[in-house]
Amino acid sequence: MGLSDIAAGIEVTAEQCDRGVATVDGTDEALADRLEPFADDLPCSAAEAATVVEAYAAGSAVDACGHAASVPPVTAAKALHLLGEQVSPVGPRGRDIVADWLAGDLARRTAMELVGIGEQTFALAAYVESHDPLPAARDAIDGALAPSDTDPLAEARSDVPDLL
C-alpha cells in the first residue's frame, strides 16, 4: 500500500485561520486607562498609544501602528520606545556613533555619514539615545506585549517525558 492509496478519498473541508500573535493580558483595566498616568510623558495621547501597542502586539510594523492610531510613524516609534520596546533604527555601532554626537564628540553630518542614515532616521536614533524608557509605563503595558508567567500554550506542547 502506497501513500496514494492511503490518501485516497481524503479531502480538505476547512481552512486554517491566521489569528496573529497570541498574547495574554490578565488585567481588567483598559490599556488606554493604564497609560493615562503617563500621557504627559508620551508623544501622543494615551488612547493613541494604546492603539499603537495593540497594533504592535498584533504583529504590525511600527509605521502601520502609527497609521492605525492616526499618528505619524515616528510618533508611534517614540511611544513604543518610551514604553520599553526596542525600536532603535540603528544597530549597536550606530548607537555608539549617535551617542558620540550627543556628547559633542562628532559633528552631526559626520555622524550621519558614519551611520549611513538620513535626517529623519538620525533624528529618531537621537531621540532613542537621549530618552530613557518609562519603567512604570512598561509595567502598565506588560500584559499587552509580554507573555505572562503562565504559559497559555502549555497544554499544546509535549514535554521530554511524554516522548519516552
Side-chain angles (χ1 to χ4, degrees), residues 67-87:
H67 295 303
S70 298
V71 298
V74 70
T75 301
K78 288 178 179 180
L80 288 169
H81 167 69
L82 291 174
L83 295 173
E85 288 300 302
Q86 298 295 323
V87 293

Side-chain angles (χ1 to χ4, degrees), residues 88 90-100 106 111 113-115 129:
S88 179
V90 296
R93 174 130 167 70
R95 292 182 76 181
D96 289 343
I97 292 170
V98 172
D100 288 344
L106 287 174
E113 289 172 4
L114 287 172
V115 178
E129 289 304 310

Side-chain angles (χ1 to χ4, degrees), residues 96-108 110-111 122:
D96 289 343
I97 292 170
V98 172
D100 288 344
W101 172 74
L102 288 169
D105 296 335
L106 287 174
R108 180 180 176 94
T110 303
F122 189 83

Side-chain angles (χ1 to χ4, degrees), residues 115-142:
V115 178
I117 55 178
E119 291 280 342
Q120 291 178 336
T121 307
F122 189 83
L124 178 58
Y127 181 88
V128 167
E129 289 304 310
S130 61
H131 292 78
D132 291 329
L134 307 167
R138 177 61 188 193
D139 293 342
I141 67 161
D142 198 29

